[in-house]
Structure formats: C-alpha cells, structure tokens
Amino acid sequence: MESNISFTLKVWRQAGPKEKGGFKNYEMKDIPTDTSFLEMLDILNEQLIEKGEEPIVFDHDCREGICGMCSLYINGHPHGPATGATTCQLYMRRFHDGETITVEPWRSAAFPVIKDLMVDRNAFDKIQQAGGYVSFNCGGAQDANAVLIPKTAADEAMDSATCIGCGACVAACKNGSAMLFVSAKVSQFALLPQGRAEAARRVKAMVSKMDELGFGNCTNTGACAAECPKNIKLSNIARMNREYLCAKIKD
C-alpha cells in the first residue's frame, strides 16, 4: 500500500571545482514511498526552479542500474543503504518519516567535484584506455564448444565484467583505492584465452595508470566489495596482484 513520508534532505552544494562547498537543508513533504531517489531529486529541482533557485546538479543516465553514473553518497553509503543496487534503484521506502537524509558526492582526490553532486570520473576511462581491452581481431563468434573454457573460469570472467565503473569502491575505501575496479577489468580478460596474449602488458599498464592518477593502495578492509552495487568479489584484487607480480618477474 502506497504511503507518503516527509523528511529533511541535507545536500552538498558546490558551485564549481575550486569553490568552497557546504551542506544545505531542504524540507521535503509528502513524498510517495514508491518514488525512486532520483525522482525525488527531480521533484526537489522542480520546486527550486519554480522559486528561481539553482537546481541541484547530479549525474544520471540509464536509471536501470547499468551505467554507473548515479554516483551519490547517501547516509554514509555509496549509492545508499540498499545492498547490491545503484542509486537509481533506491526507493524512498528505504527511509523513515521525519528522517534526515544526507547526500554527498564521491569523496576522492582522483574524482574532483564538478558541481554539487557531480564528480569527474574520467580517471576510470584513462585506466581503461591504458589496457582494458583486447587489441587484436578475435574473429567472429565461434561455436560455444570450439574454445574449451572451464565453466568456473567463464562464470568468474562474466561476474567480473559486470563491473559498471561507478566508483563506489573508491568512495567506500579509506585510501580512495581503485583496485577493485581495476582488478575486475583485469580479471575479465585474464580468465579467458582471448585475453591471455596481452595479459602482462595489460596489468602493468593499468596498474601504472591507476598509481599515476593518484588512487590509494588497498589495505584489505573489504569496504569496496561490501558497497559494490554489482557485488564484485574481493578475490579479484588477489588475482590482479598475482598477474602483476608474474609480469614484473618476467621483466
């Protein structure tokens, strides 16, 4: 049964990358609990525009949990309190009447704030460009049994490939580490024969670019995997470390 809630929205407002930001409170009244979090922000922005005020800037695109753009830090959690879900999959029924909901952008030196809740995640694109691809022609799709790949390896590669590059792992990590993201992109190729030919070059290039861009190192607290909306496994980091060590030894 549909119900409505009223709450205080405490939102980070920042005019630009070099401007000083701060929180601003907005009172939200009678919001249906089946409203998504982004729809609720749309309602607030409509109210702000009607008053002649600046709407809140936030990132979004697919609203289906597959693009990774809805990068909001809500009540101390990347993407909010829902497990295994992005912000666009979060609904107001997760919150309580009279609650104060705090909304912030990702906090990482490698993800500078553009405006309000929008951050520049171009660093992930640069890591991908450094080696997150297969550069030679693999040909057309072959029969499923033509290349023998253990099902466990194929499943792990597919699970790793579900990473959407949203940056929740970086936002959750006390060191601002990108190792869960990078290790997922390394693993999706390292586990398959199509990716083995360039495995050494790939892992060295991607790790080097990650370090160059100012991401922190991993201290195995596991916060990244706990907050990941796609449930990327922490074991990917161990695999990336093995791949990197083997590549450096061969050098």
Side-chain angles (χ1 to χ4, degrees):
M1 185 176 179
E2 182 182 323
S3 60
N4 293 350
I5 59 171
S6 298
F7 50 89
T8 300
L9 203 60
K10 187 177 180 181
V11 182
W12 183 262
R13 302 300 308 262
Q14 186 170 337
K18 296 182 180 180
E19 302 294 326
K20 184 178 180 180
F23 286 104
K24 187 169 182 180
N25 290 351
Y26 300 97
E27 297 301 323
M28 303 299 293
K29 301 293 184 183
D30 299 322
I31 302 297
T33 53
D34 63 354
T35 302
S36 75
F37 200 87
L38 296 188
E39 287 171 340
M40 180 273 295
L41 290 179
D42 288 338
I43 292 171
L44 173 57
N45 276 344
E46 287 174 2
Q47 295 173 356
L48 292 176
I49 291 170
E50 287 177 1
K51 294 176 183 177
E53 298 180 27
E54 276 279 319
I56 297 164
V57 175
F58 62 97
D59 240 340
H60 66 91
D61 188 13
C62 72
R63 300 203 178 199
E64 295 178 349
I66 58 174
C67 77
M69 292 183 68
C70 53
S71 47
L72 301 183
Y73 206 81
I74 304 166
N75 283 353
H77 294 277
H79 292 298
T83 303
T86 53
T87 303
C88 62
Q89 297 171 304
L90 179 66
Y91 286 82
M92 299 313 298
R93 54 178 165 268
R94 284 274 180 175
F95 303 96
H96 303 290
D97 192 57
E99 186 176 353
T100 296
I101 303 172
T102 303
V103 190
E104 306 171 68
W106 286 168
R107 301 294 190 182
S108 170
F111 292 159
V113 173
I114 297 174
K115 188 173 182 180
D116 294 338
L117 304 175
M118 180 186 286
V119 300
D120 183 355
R121 291 182 294 116
N122 189 47
F124 271 10
D125 295 330
K126 292 178 180 178
I127 294 173
Q128 281 282 85
Q129 290 162 5
Y133 52 85
V134 174
S135 64
F136 57 86
N137 187 357
C138 295
Q142 294 176 311
D143 182 83
N145 295 322
V147 181
L148 298 180
I149 303 170
K151 186 177 187 305
T152 52
D155 287 347
E156 276 199 70
M158 184 61 73
D159 288 345
S160 299
T162 60
C163 169
I164 56 177
C166 66
C169 51
V170 177
C173 179
K174 64 180 181 180
N175 302 325
S177 173
M179 288 187 74
L180 190 68
F181 163 75
V182 178
S183 66
K185 298 307 176 185
V186 166
S187 290
Q188 74 181 68
F189 294 114
L191 288 160
L192 300 176
Q194 294 92 335
R196 290 311 306 170
E198 299 174 289
R201 178 201 61 79
R202 176 183 300 109
V203 71
K204 287 188 293 182
M206 294 183 78
V207 169
S208 175
K209 181 59 69 173
M210 173 182 68
D211 292 340
E212 176 192 322
L213 293 169
F215 290 102
N217 206 350
C218 173
T219 48
N220 294 311
T221 59
C224 55
E227 298 287 4
C228 176
K230 296 301 175 181
N231 299 312
I232 300 299
K233 297 177 183 177
L234 203 62
S235 57
N236 283 314
I237 295 178
R239 180 179 296 106
M240 182 183 74
N241 287 337
R242 289 195 299 271
E243 291 280 328
Y244 184 76
L245 182 60
C246 289
K248 297 299 282 187
I249 288 173
K250 287 179 181 177
D251 285 349

